[in-house]
Amino acid sequence: MAMPGRLYGLGVGPGDPELLTLKALRLLREVPVIAYPAPEQGESFARSIVADWIRADQREIAICFPMRPGPPPVAIYDAAAAGLAAELDQGRDVALLCQGDPLFYGSSINIFSRLAAGYQIKIVPGVSSLTACAAAAAFPLVSRAESLVVIPATLDEEHIAASLAGADVAVIIKLGRHVSKVRRVLDQVGLLQKAVYVAHATLLTECVTPLAGVVPDKVPYFSMALIRRSSAS
Ligand SMILES: C[S@@+](CC[C@H](N)C(=O)[O-])C[C@H]1O[C@@H](n2cnc3c(N)ncnc32)[C@H](O)[C@@H]1O
């Protein structure tokens, strides 16, 4: 029997292909199998970032994750992990592409956890949206003894308000269709005027503007709010 292949979790960065690491690029070129999350319709964002380097002789596996709210799609994770395990069992190395950084809210975390006991997994970090958005807005993320909290906008208003309470700096991710709710909470706690909105960081469609002025209907999923209680000293 062949030695099992190795699974690489490749962070491919926030969108600009130039933000791919040299290591991710080398591994991407070396592996015979490339897997990536994909929507049920349309193209995979992670794949689009590295599309120029994928060769026709590399096998591609699109893992279709439902992009709608609801409980975690356990059956889809199980099936995807089994599909990658079948490749690894044949001795083939697999690169699982992860937009941004694999371990920062990456859906691939659910694949790694299923395969960790049986296979060698190597994670290659990527530039996360957290640092990409801060850079786009020239927003000092954290300095000296400041604390940072990352809050998914999918939480309810009470949880968002509670998470904001103790932080010097907060980042609210997965803004998209939750933007009105997030603005309401920020207004209630007196932070709305301090919130910076960043969408599509590092892409040609990048947008940086005060959150208070954005049109809710136009807020894409790939956006976040950066909030700093007081200016960095
Ligand atoms: C499921 S998380 C994945 C994060 C990713 N693993 C990372 O390291 O950035 C998706 C959320 O990340 C944020 N995001 C990812 N890429 C972004 C970008 N280029 N610009 C703005 N926000 C982005 C958005 O808040 C989006 O809803």
Side-chain angles (χ1 to χ4, degrees):
M1 232 174 82
M3 276 274 291
R6 190 185 255 205
L7 176 62
Y8 295 100
L10 291 195
V12 296
D16 177 352
E18 286 193 16
L19 291 172
L20 195 63
T21 64
L22 294 175
K23 190 172 191 118
L25 182 56
R26 174 177 62 77
L27 290 166
L28 178 75
R29 285 170 158 160
E30 283 175 11
V31 293
V33 183
I34 299 174
Y36 40 80
E40 284 160 305
Q41 268 153 25
E43 87 171 319
S44 157
F45 187 17
R47 186 192 185 281
S48 72
I49 296 169
V50 299
D52 283 353
W53 293 290
I54 297 178
R55 296 186 314 271
D57 66 322
Q58 289 175 300
R59 180 163 149 66
E60 294 189 39
I61 301 176
I63 303 170
C64 287
F65 291 124
M67 301 288 175
R68 48 181 174 268
V74 172
I76 292 177
Y77 294 139
D78 287 346
L84 299 193
E87 296 291 333
L88 297 167
D89 287 339
Q90 295 299 313
R92 291 193 277 274
D93 290 344
V94 177
L96 177 55
L97 309 182
C98 311
Q99 189 260 345
D101 181 83
L103 302 182
F104 182 67
Y105 290 97
S107 49
S108 304
I109 290 172
N110 302 286
I111 309 289
F112 302 141
S113 59
R114 282 165 170 72
L115 296 175
Y119 301 92
Q120 275 191 67
I121 301 180
K122 178 89 187 147
I123 308 287
V124 179
V127 174
S128 78
S129 55
L130 179 66
T131 50
C133 289
F139 177 98
L141 209 45
V142 264
S143 145
R144 300 171 68 86
E146 288 177 337
S147 61
L148 168 71
V149 64
V150 180
I151 308 170
T154 46
L155 292 175
D156 61 34
E157 298 193 22
E158 196 186 330
H159 282 97
I160 295 174
S163 301
L164 285 167
D168 298 306
V169 179
V171 171
I172 305 185
I173 66 161
K174 304 186 182 182
L175 208 52
R177 59 197 180 80
H178 301 282
V179 67
S180 298
K181 171 181 69 181
V182 167
R183 278 212 300 219
R184 207 161 43 241
V185 178
L186 289 170
D187 201 19
Q188 277 158 12
V189 301
L191 289 173
L192 181 56
Q193 297 308 322
K194 300 187 178 231
V196 180
Y197 165 83
V198 184
H200 293 174
T202 79
L203 297 168
L204 291 175
T205 46
E206 179 179 285
C207 170
V208 180
T209 192
L211 180 66
V214 301
V215 180
D217 296 356
K218 303 263 188 263
V219 173
Y221 174 71
F222 287 99
S223 65
M224 67 172 70
L226 309 170
I227 303 117
R228 168 167 272 290
R229 211 169 273 281
S230 25
S231 47
S233 47

